[in-house]
Amino acid sequence: MKKLLQTYEHLIISGVILIICVAGFVFGIIPSALKIADELGQLSTLTQERDGLKQKLSYLQSLDESTLRDQLLTALSAVPADKSIPTVFNTVESLAAQSGVSVDKMQVSAGGYIATASATKQTPVERQLGTRLVPFTVTIVGTFTGIEQFISEAPTIRRILRIRTFAISFPKTTNTISVVLNMDAFYEPFPTTLGVAAEAVTPLTDAEQVTLEKIANLTLLTDQTSAILPSPVTEKAKDNPFAP
Amino acid sequence: MESANINLLKKTGGSAGFKDLEARLRLISLWSLGILFGIGITVGISYFVIASRAQALNNEKVDLAVQIQAQSVKEGIIISLKQRIVLAGKALSSTTNWAKLFPLLTAIAPAEAYDSLTVDGTGHVAVQFKLGSVDAVVTLVKNVIDLSDNGSLRLSQLTSFSMLADGTVQLGLTFVPML
């Protein structure tokens, strides 16, 4: 045996070295190469995320907060964050006064639950429209021209009102006619959560700009708004937002 | 002269072929070992570089996230604004502008001819007229036919017709105005 070992000594050493090399490749180099490939993939993802965050930060820094607040208040005066029934009443009364007719009776058809707006269930109509409704009935009295003006101008004012149905009766004894309108005002609570930091914030699209302009061009008949916007951040942000 | 080799164990089987194989195997094993070390060092350095880069990117991400958090009010406003614009767009598109209905009503009959008018949720208009004579009815029907022909009305239907003792005519009509 000793003689055999002595005879093949160099051969055995070379063989062992080769086995170690093969084992090194199989158990060392190949897993490490795979790990590096994986890390490279993660690096690519990290780079994309970093670029996304940079882009988002740059976009947010380019925005003027006061302009944004004004734009949001404009949008909120069209579709507020709560039912804001006083603004519905004020708007209808102002529109009636502007049209030269008078409001004889006004009634909110469904006051809804006394709960936060986001806690209430949406009706099928609301789900179909994609926004919550305050249905109400209003009886208007006035001349034919005045009523025509009221009905014609109702869709052109802020807050946005929708005429579902209406019924006009024309008494023969007097020039004053009355109309009963079933209408809807719109509202929708604020979103309760912000996206994660990595979530992209896109600028307003052309279509959104057009809609915003359309809203801004609607006649505002009341100054009242129930919008309460968050105040500007004054406290120092956490160094690590991922820390608990 | 005496040999200087003091190795008493002489190698056997040392044929030229065997020695050649042994030399080749030694060379291959040494090259393999060298390559293994080379690749190992390269892989190690690469891993270190990539890990350092990943760490740097992670740190950069955290810094950016902190800066974005400082802009969270703006982010909240822009998200709310976009949501509100979509909602307002939906609300506006669900409204019907009834302004065009009134010129149609005037084209059908004068205001004093109307007794009642109802518009339902599907856009159908139901009108009750009180007319002074049959001639007025003929004019009204002619007007409705003309308006239907030019596409201002559709689905116009006469729902009722009655003549009272005093000669007045009550007429019921439904139609869908093309607004």
Side-chain angles (χ1 to χ4, degrees):
Chain A
M1 182 67 183
K2 196 175 175 184
K3 191 178 174 186
L4 193 72
L5 281 174
Q6 206 172 22
T7 306
Y8 297 107
E9 184 186 0
H10 294 297
L11 208 63
I12 290 167
I13 291 169
S14 299
V16 169
I17 290 171
L18 268 178
I19 289 168
I20 288 170
C21 287
V22 171
F25 270 103
V26 173
F27 300 110
I29 302 295
I30 293 173
S32 300
L34 291 174
K35 176 84 177 156
I36 284 176
D38 187 43
E39 288 283 328
L40 275 174
Q42 284 185 17
L43 204 64
S44 164
T45 311
L46 276 174
T47 309
Q48 280 175 3
E49 285 174 0
R50 190 269 319 264
D51 292 347
L53 287 173
K54 263 188 180 174
Q55 207 174 357
K56 181 177 177 176
L57 180 64
S58 154
Y59 172 61
L60 287 174
Q61 282 173 336
S62 72
L63 295 171
D64 177 42
E65 193 174 320
S66 62
T67 309
L68 277 181
R69 280 174 181 272
D70 289 345
Q71 287 177 330
L72 182 57
L73 283 172
T74 301
L76 278 168
S77 59
V79 181
D82 57 20
K83 289 177 183 162
S84 186
I85 290 166
T87 61
V88 177
F89 278 52
N90 279 343
T91 305
V92 171
E93 279 176 356
S94 302
L95 178 61
Q98 189 177 282
S99 308
V101 294
S102 57
V103 178
D104 188 43
K105 194 174 152 188
M106 191 165 163
Q107 187 181 353
V108 175
S109 314
Y113 296 107
I114 301 173
T116 54
S118 55
T120 56
K121 280 187 178 176
Q122 283 188 306
T123 64
V125 177
E126 288 174 332
R127 273 198 293 274
Q128 192 187 348
L129 281 172
T131 172
R132 291 164 203 264
L133 300 172
V134 181
F136 63 97
T137 305
V138 59
T139 306
I140 303 289
V141 178
T143 61
F144 184 79
T145 314
I147 287 189
E148 178 185 348
Q149 194 179 338
F150 181 92
I151 292 173
S152 301
E153 288 185 2
T156 66
I157 54 165
R158 281 191 273 162
R159 79 186 268 189
I160 301 171
L161 300 175
R162 177 175 81 143
I163 298 172
R164 253 182 299 125
T165 64
F166 62 91
I168 308 175
S169 51
F170 301 82
K172 296 295 170 197
T173 51
T174 168
N175 278 338
T176 307
I177 58 174
S178 73
V179 55
V180 179
L181 298 116
N182 287 309
M183 300 175 77
D184 293 316
F186 301 86
Y187 78 100
E188 186 67 34
F190 280 123
T192 50
T193 52
L194 266 183
V196 293
E199 199 171 302
V201 175
T202 50
L204 292 183
T205 61
D206 289 345
E208 286 169 338
Q209 290 279 10
V210 168
T211 309
L212 187 62
E213 263 176 51
K214 208 186 276 183
I215 297 165
N217 289 334
L218 296 174
T219 316
L220 184 61
L221 295 177
T222 171
D223 290 337
Q224 267 190 296
T225 173
S226 60
I228 301 165
L229 299 183
S231 54
V233 171
T234 49
E235 63 187 57
K236 190 182 178 296
K238 283 194 290 184
D239 289 338
N240 182 358
F242 305 112
Chain B
M1 193 170 173
E2 209 172 307
S3 172
N5 192 350
I6 58 165
N7 190 358
L8 299 176
L9 292 167
K10 287 187 179 171
K11 284 185 181 176
T12 53
S15 67
F18 179 78
K19 281 183 179 171
D20 185 46
L21 176 72
E22 199 180 55
R24 281 178 185 217
L25 203 60
R26 191 187 304 141
L27 195 68
I28 290 169
S29 65
L30 287 174
W31 269 103
S32 298
L33 200 61
I35 290 168
L36 181 71
F37 271 107
I39 293 176
I41 288 165
T42 310
V43 165
I45 290 170
S46 304
Y47 188 79
F48 176 75
V49 169
I50 290 167
S52 306
R53 180 83 186 121
Q55 186 59 44
L57 280 172
N58 268 323
N59 292 341
E60 207 175 339
K61 261 182 69 181
V62 170
D63 285 347
L64 286 167
V66 169
Q67 291 179 64
I68 285 171
Q69 199 184 32
Q71 305 279 336
S72 62
V73 171
K74 278 189 198 173
E75 187 181 357
I77 293 175
I78 189 85
I79 289 170
S80 299
L81 177 63
K82 285 171 86 75
Q83 182 222 31
R84 204 61 37 183
I85 288 171
V86 171
L87 292 172
K90 284 178 184 171
L92 283 171
S93 63
S94 75
T95 58
T96 307
N97 190 348
W98 292 104
K100 287 181 186 169
L101 174 67
F102 291 94
L104 279 178
L105 295 177
T106 315
I108 293 170
E112 56 272 14
Y114 286 87
D115 191 37
S116 69
L117 179 145
T118 308
V119 177
D120 68 13
T122 59
H124 281 77
V125 178
V127 191
Q128 283 293 324
F129 295 98
K130 203 172 259 185
L131 301 160
S133 64
V134 175
D135 288 343
V137 175
V138 172
T139 309
L140 187 147
V141 172
K142 186 181 173 303
N143 290 339
V144 170
I145 290 168
D146 288 346
L147 288 167
S148 296
D149 287 346
N150 70 25
S152 302
L153 305 178
R154 64 181 182 91
L155 303 174
S156 49
Q157 286 183 341
L158 195 63
T159 54
S160 65
F161 182 92
S162 56
M163 184 177 268
L164 304 180
D166 61 357
T168 56
V169 178
Q170 286 186 335
L171 187 79
L173 185 74
T174 63
F175 60 88
V176 177
M178 301 307 288
L179 301 173

